[in-house]
Amino acid sequence: MAEWLRAARLKGIARYQYKNLGRLITWALLIVLTVQILSLLTPYVFGDPYPFEGIGASFEIVFFAAFVTGIITAGRSSRFLLRFGTSRTSVWLGSVFGQLTGMVGLLIGTFLLNMLIAALLFPLSSLLPQGYSMSAALYRHELTEGLKNLPDLLLYTLEWTSIFYLYGCMLRRFKALTISFSIGIPLMFVILMLIPAVREGLQVLRGDDQGQMMILGLKWLQILQDILRFIEEHWETIQLTAGIASLPLSYIVMRGTKQP
């Protein structure tokens, strides 16, 4: 096992990923901290109460970071590692592990920063009660809610990180096809949804049938509601399935990519 680990160069890959992803994550956390500190000045600058939004992890930041780093890790980082004759399995394994741990670290980091900002409200509440409001009971309640939501956010982070890494692998190997697919499929869906509706609507207008217009509108509204209801009821299952399937698919795509 030890010989395989040395031959696989996993330590070197982990060190490389730690250096690159660590820098990006550090910058992301610094930006979050700066924005949070600037928002604390709201009562002093504008005279409005501080908009406290609770204690929790900032998943939207992790979502965006996972998209950007997924493309970088599957593209430039993988090309650099493969130049030195490293096996594709090692590069894939190290990249996936680095991505997942990095994004989980970013999620937990945003949670800790929000805890810190909420704790700073205690002394600020004493200095400017009309601008800041924080109590031990409120802090405990928000912290409990944040910890309660954290497992779901961790799962979402793992799922979307896997999906975006697969997207990065696809973008590296099939760049034109992936971009066309990313733009074309949503556009095609919109066209298929709208063209029949527009055609039928024009026919109705020519016939000047108000009753038929109402029936047509209700029909398309029902279709839209059915689509939204299906997404709402099954989205978590779809998301989990896509996240799990992305891991082996990313390896298959990366394994077939030409050596740089």
Side-chain angles (χ1 to χ4, degrees):
M1 184 66 178
E3 293 182 0
W4 182 85
L5 289 174
R6 278 197 301 272
R9 301 178 181 177
L10 286 177
K11 286 186 178 180
I13 294 172
R15 190 162 52 247
Y16 176 80
Q17 297 292 1
Y18 172 79
K19 179 181 177 181
N20 286 274
L21 290 175
R23 186 186 302 114
L24 293 172
I25 291 171
T26 300
W27 275 109
L29 290 175
L30 286 175
I31 292 172
V32 173
L33 179 60
T34 302
V35 172
Q36 293 277 31
I37 291 176
L38 290 175
S39 68
L40 286 175
L41 301 177
T42 300
Y44 287 100
V45 177
F46 301 104
D48 298 326
Y50 172 72
F52 178 63
E53 298 179 353
I55 301 174
S58 302
F59 177 71
E60 61 278 2
I61 295 173
V62 177
F63 185 88
F64 177 75
F67 177 75
V68 174
T69 57
I71 295 175
I72 294 174
T73 302
R76 185 181 63 193
S77 297
S78 294
R79 282 194 297 270
F80 175 81
L81 292 170
L82 290 171
R83 285 196 184 100
F84 299 96
T86 311
S87 71
R88 296 179 184 275
T89 302
S90 300
V91 174
W92 172 81
L93 188 61
S95 298
V96 169
F97 182 77
Q99 275 286 107
L100 294 177
T101 55
M103 293 303 103
V104 168
L106 178 59
L107 183 76
I108 295 175
T110 60
F111 182 82
L112 295 176
L113 285 180
N114 286 328
M115 283 182 59
L116 173 63
I117 295 299
L120 291 176
L121 294 178
F122 283 104
L124 291 174
S125 298
S126 302
L127 295 173
L128 191 65
Q130 65 272 24
Y132 305 94
S133 178
M134 178 56 66
S135 63
L138 177 60
Y139 188 88
R140 285 194 302 269
H141 175 268
E142 294 298 334
L143 180 59
T144 301
E145 290 297 316
L147 290 172
K148 187 187 301 182
N149 295 329
L150 192 57
D152 287 338
L153 294 179
L154 286 170
L155 178 60
Y156 298 157
T157 298
L158 296 176
E159 293 168 349
W160 282 105
T161 301
S162 301
I163 293 170
F164 287 143
Y165 178 70
L166 170 62
Y167 183 82
C169 292
M170 294 290 297
L171 192 63
R172 182 187 170 206
R173 185 177 179 188
F174 311 107
K175 187 172 184 178
L177 180 62
T178 302
I179 294 175
S180 301
F181 182 85
S182 302
I183 298 174
I185 294 300
L187 184 61
M188 184 183 301
F189 177 78
V190 172
I191 291 174
L192 291 175
M193 288 292 295
L194 291 182
I195 285 183
V198 172
R199 186 185 299 117
E200 292 183 27
L202 290 174
Q203 292 176 355
V204 168
L205 289 176
R206 292 192 191 99
D208 198 22
D209 189 339
Q210 297 296 325
Q212 191 176 352
M213 287 181 63
M214 183 173 294
I215 294 173
L216 177 62
L218 291 174
K219 182 177 70 173
W220 283 100
L221 180 61
Q222 184 62 46
I223 293 174
L224 180 60
Q225 288 177 342
D226 291 340
I227 294 173
L228 294 177
R229 188 180 301 110
F230 177 84
I231 294 174
E232 183 179 359
E233 292 176 355
H234 302 282
W235 177 248
E236 291 192 358
T237 302
I238 296 171
Q239 181 175 288
L240 178 61
T241 303
I244 294 173
S246 294
L247 293 176
L249 287 175
S250 63
Y251 174 71
I252 293 172
V253 174
M254 189 225 176
R255 185 182 60 184
T257 305
K258 294 181 179 180
Q259 192 80 11

